C-alpha cells in the first residue's frame, strides 16, 4: 500500500544518506475522509471492492509504519477528523456539532453519510483503536482536520459553522 511504500522510501533514504532521522518529521493523514480529501464528491456512494481493500490495507500498514518510525526515531503528526475518535455511531452523533455546515454543494455534506454501528462494523468511519495505538507511541502526535473535514472555503460557510466544527473536534 501507499503507507508501506512511503515507509520503505524513508528507510531507504535513511540508509543511503545516513541521516539522523530523529531530526525529521513526517505528516500523515488518517482515515477515509482524508483518503478522499480534495475530491468534489464525498463518500455518499458505496465503496468499491478496490477502495475497501485499499483503505483496509492502509489501516493494516499503520502499525508496521509505527514500528519503523520507532526503529528510526521518526516523529510524525497524524492528522485526522474528530469523527474517527468516536467509538460508536451514538458517540459520533453526540459529539457532532449542533450547528452543521451549510454547503452550497450538498455532495460535500458529510452528515448525510451512513455510519455503521462501531469500528468493527465500519472501520472506514471509526478508528479509535488505531488513534490510541498512534498516540501511545513515542514521537507521534495527533493533529486535527476538524470534526468533519470542514471545507472552509466552500460557498455557504460561516465562521460560526467552522467554530462549531472545531469545538466538536476538540470535545471528542
Amino acid at each position: 500500500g501507499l503507507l508501506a511504500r512511503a515507509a520503505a522510501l524513508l528507510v531507504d533514504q535513511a540508509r543511503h544518506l545516513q541521516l539522523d532521522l530523529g531530526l525529521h518529521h513526517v505528516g500523515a493523514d488518517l482515515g477515509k475522509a482524508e483518503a478522499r480529501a480534495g475530491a468534489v464528491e464525498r463518500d455518499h456512494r458505496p465503496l468499491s471492492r478496490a477502495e475497501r481493500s485499499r483503505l483496509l490495507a492502509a489501516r493494516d500498514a499503520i502499525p508496521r509504519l509505527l514500528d519503523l518510525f520507532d526503529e528510526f526515531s521518526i516523529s510524525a503528526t497524524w492528522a485526522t477528523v474528530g469523527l474517527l475518535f468516536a467509538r460508536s455511531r451514538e458517540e459520533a452523533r453526540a459529539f457532532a456539532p449542533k450547528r452543521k455546515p451549510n454547503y452550497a454543494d450538498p455532495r460535500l455534506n458529510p452528515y448525510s453519510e451512513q455510519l455503521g454501528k462501531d469500528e468493527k462494523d465500519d472501520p472506514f468511519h471509526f478508528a479509535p483503536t488505531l488513534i490510541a495505538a498512534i498516540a501511545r507511541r513515542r514521537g507521534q502526535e495527533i493533529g486535527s482536520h476538524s470534526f468533519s473535514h470542514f471545507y472552509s472555503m466552500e460557498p455557504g460557510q460561516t465562521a460560526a459553522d467552522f467554530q462549531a466544527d472545531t469545538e466538536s473536534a476538540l470535545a471528542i
Side-chain angles (χ1 to χ4, degrees), residues 6-94:
L9 179 61
L10 285 171
V11 171
D12 186 56
Q13 287 177 345
R15 288 184 177 138
H16 285 88
L17 301 175
Q18 298 183 0
L19 294 174
D20 175 8
L21 291 179
L23 300 176
H24 289 77
H25 190 87
V26 175
D29 282 341
L30 176 66
K32 182 180 179 188
E34 284 77 23
R36 293 187 179 177
V40 173
E41 195 167 320
R42 288 196 63 125
D43 304 331
H44 303 301
R45 61 179 170 73
L47 291 170
S48 71
R49 182 179 297 151
E51 289 171 309
R52 291 177 67 84
S53 178
R54 181 177 58 81
L55 291 170
L56 290 172
R59 283 185 67 109
D60 290 342
I62 288 171
R64 294 192 310 269
L65 191 56
L66 288 168
D67 289 342
L68 284 170
F69 285 3
D70 276 348
E71 182 180 344
F72 291 96
S73 300
I74 299 172
S75 61
T77 300
W78 299 78
T80 185
V81 293
L83 173 64
L84 290 175
F85 283 83
R87 291 183 298 265
S88 67
R89 177 177 42 227
E90 291 74 25
E91 187 173 50
R93 289 179 179 154

Side-chain angles (χ1 to χ4, degrees), residues 95-164:
F95 280 94
K98 303 302 177 233
R99 182 185 180 111
K100 304 288 192 292
N102 186 27
Y103 297 114
D105 182 348
R107 295 177 299 169
L108 297 176
N109 180 5
Y111 298 100
S112 62
E113 291 183 29
Q114 292 293 103
L115 299 178
K117 179 181 168 192
D118 55 24
E119 186 173 18
K120 184 176 180 179
D121 179 52
D122 186 356
F124 307 108
H125 287 101
F126 302 105
T129 60
L130 200 53
I131 292 169
I134 292 167
R136 284 191 302 267
R137 296 292 188 109
R138 178 181 43 83
Q140 307 307 303
E141 71 176 353
I142 306 295
S144 176
H145 269 282
S146 72
F147 187 83
S148 67
H149 213 285
F150 192 90
Y151 294 104
S152 58
M153 301 303 291
E154 288 296 320
Q157 300 320 293
T158 67
D161 295 336
F162 182 70
Q163 181 175 350

